[in-house]
Amino acid sequence: MREMFADTRPLKVPAYRKLWIANILTQLGAQMTVVAVPAQIYSLTGSSGYVGLTGLFGLVPLVLFGLYGGAIADAFDKRLVLIVSTLGMILSSSAFFIVSMLGNANVWVLLSIFALQQAFFAVNQPTRTATFRSILPIDQLAAGASLNMLVMQAGAVIGPLVAGALIPFIGFSWVYFLDVAFLIPTLGAVVSLPSLPPAGKVEAPGLSSIASGLKYLWMQPVLLMAMLLDAIAMVFGMPRALYPEMAEVNFGGSPLMLSLLYSSIAVGAVVGGVFSGWVSRVAQQGKAVVICITVWGGAVALAGLFTMVSPPAVSVWAWLVVLMLVIGGAADMFSASLRNAILQQSATAEMQGRIQGVYIIIVVGGPRIADLAHGWAGEFMGAGLTTLIGGILVIVGTAVSMLAVPKFWRYSKPKTE
């Protein structure tokens, strides 16, 4: 039974433990904002198309600063980079609070602040992930990724539920204020970290450094496929821009269903994280990733089908949609932990920041593209059909990818001495 549960060995490493504990409140606040921004935009416009614009406004800074942020992480002390980028996220969340409190909420202002927040996030996240290679043994990287995702997804479960309950009573502005307050522990944690200087050959951050990282990535088919599979799963299979429409049109305008839709994938990820002990032990990591992504696509497709047949009220079909998204969330959590471990195991230490910089573009940029595409398609096809087609495309895209690069299917975890 012990081997079924999450591998907690990384928590014995002080530096990792500090980041992990501080991340609990931070993720709670961040996920409250994830609900508040699109919900506020939908309340201003009544359009899923405008909600989908969060994808475009989030994607551009992610691409620009994800690449450059990875180069910065490889060139400077990672502790210093984490401090500066965390302060930036605090300032951008404060801007959400101030604008909303002053009553100047405008969809374009909100989208602009969102873009600024994503720029700081794009520097912070690859730097944070790149530290794991420096502070954890290689055989604990998958476990470290699973524990990190467990905290992130636990926040994604509680955050939307809390936001859905608080917004009608305290409004959007105070939800943003809570996000600011919850970022403070992470700032304290990164300040207390030891120095994390760059490893190996150091290149000054810039176009040359970014080009070196991209050239290295291009020569690594396993790394490329790990990122491509993530893009396929997220771009085609993440229907979150449709949640406000589903709750309003398909499920009778229920605020509870809106909160459950936003948190269902995260619930599955938390359950998967609790029972993620096998992730550390599985040797054939490539096959495991492919199977998990296929399950994710199937669950999303069924969620779309059940949405289509649901009456405009909270019914058994609505609960089946939530159940499918929970199952999909567990499968996605396993897949993401394994992919992250593959990237950290296979990339050299001096390239970790740049590889993670590209990966963060895929991880967060993929759903942003999905927001834009699903929001646009939902205007014409409706939420259910759009979700169904997206899930089917995940399965087809994964199968085609394995036919093109069978080496990934055969990839196994490197043996440790």
Side-chain angles (χ1 to χ4, degrees):
M1 286 294 294
R2 181 179 298 177
E3 292 183 351
M4 292 176 58
F5 294 102
D7 184 350
T8 59
R9 289 177 298 163
L11 294 177
K12 297 178 181 179
V13 179
Y16 179 89
R17 185 171 62 248
K18 289 179 181 179
L19 290 173
W20 189 83
I21 293 175
N23 214 22
I24 296 173
L25 279 178
T26 301
Q27 289 300 323
L28 174 62
Q31 292 301 324
M32 290 171 64
T33 297
V34 164
V35 173
V37 172
Q40 188 173 13
I41 291 174
Y42 191 79
S43 72
L44 292 171
T45 65
S47 170
S48 289
Y50 274 102
V51 174
L53 282 177
T54 57
L56 178 62
F57 275 73
L59 179 62
V60 173
L62 275 171
V63 172
L64 295 178
F65 290 92
L67 291 172
Y68 192 65
I72 291 174
D74 284 336
F76 294 100
D77 188 315
K78 292 179 178 60
R79 173 181 175 272
L80 178 60
V81 177
L82 286 172
I83 291 173
V84 174
S85 55
T86 301
L87 284 171
M89 290 191 295
I90 291 173
L91 290 174
S92 56
S93 293
S94 299
F96 276 128
F97 167 69
I98 293 171
V99 168
S100 298
M101 180 61 72
L102 293 177
N104 295 326
N106 174 280
V107 62
W108 302 110
V109 173
L110 292 173
L111 288 169
S112 298
I113 297 172
F114 181 70
L116 178 64
Q117 184 185 60
Q118 293 305 295
F120 286 114
F121 176 82
V123 176
N124 181 274
Q125 194 62 31
T127 306
R128 174 188 292 269
T129 307
T131 63
F132 296 165
R133 176 67 181 266
S134 301
I135 62 180
L136 289 177
I138 194 168
D139 66 325
Q140 295 183 25
L141 290 174
S146 295
L147 290 172
N148 194 51
M149 286 198 65
L150 177 59
V151 169
M152 293 174 65
Q153 299 299 338
V157 173
I158 302 172
L161 292 174
V162 173
L166 290 181
I167 287 172
F169 297 100
I170 66 176
F172 296 107
S173 58
W174 288 106
V175 171
Y176 296 134
F177 176 81
L178 289 174
D179 185 20
V180 175
F182 290 162
L183 275 166
I184 302 302
T186 288
L187 180 61
V190 297
V191 168
S192 69
L193 285 175
S195 177
L196 297 169
K201 180 183 177 182
V202 177
E203 296 184 64
L207 293 178
S208 177
S209 176
I210 294 172
S212 295
L214 293 175
K215 181 180 179 181
Y216 173 81
L217 176 60
W218 183 253
M219 301 300 293
Q220 306 294 322
V222 169
L223 298 181
L224 279 173
M225 188 52 58
M227 295 186 184
L228 176 61
L229 288 173
D230 188 280
I232 290 171
M234 292 297 100
V235 171
F236 295 124
M238 177 55 76
R240 66 185 182 185
L242 300 171
Y243 291 164
E245 181 179 343
M246 286 181 180
E248 182 69 26
V249 176
N250 300 99
F251 306 134
S254 168
L256 173 62
M257 284 305 301
L258 178 62
S259 295
L260 289 174
L261 287 170
Y262 272 109
S263 61
S264 55
I265 290 176
V267 168
V270 170
V271 173
V274 171
F275 295 98
S276 63
W278 69 274
V279 170
S280 298
R281 300 189 305 273
V282 64
Q284 295 179 313
Q285 293 178 328
K287 291 181 181 179
V289 168
V290 172
I291 292 171
C292 290
I293 291 178
T294 301
V295 172
W296 156 261
V300 170
L302 287 173
L305 178 62
F306 295 151
T307 299
M308 292 175 64
V309 301
S310 174
V314 178
S315 65
V316 64
W317 298 108
W319 295 111
L320 286 174
V321 170
V322 173
L323 176 61
M324 289 302 102
L325 293 176
V326 168
I327 293 172
D332 183 59
M333 186 274 172
F334 296 141
S335 169
S337 297
L338 289 164
R339 289 195 311 269
N340 215 318
I342 290 171
L343 294 175
Q344 294 178 44
Q345 291 161 185
S346 301
T348 61
E350 64 190 59
M351 287 290 178
Q352 282 294 316
R354 279 162 284 186
I355 294 300
Q356 291 298 330
V358 176
Y359 188 49
I360 194 61
I361 294 173
I362 304 297
V363 169
V364 186
R368 301 304 180 203
I369 297 175
D371 290 341
L372 185 62
H374 284 72
W376 176 82
E379 292 281 339
F380 300 96
M381 297 191 296
L385 181 58
T386 301
T387 304
L388 170 62
I389 293 174
I392 293 172
L393 289 175
V394 170
I395 298 172
V396 173
T398 301
V400 171
S401 298
M402 289 305 95
L403 291 174
V405 186
K407 183 176 181 179
F408 186 87
W409 174 262
R410 298 191 298 267
Y411 177 85
S412 295
K413 178 175 64 175
K415 296 180 180 180
T416 57
E417 295 181 358

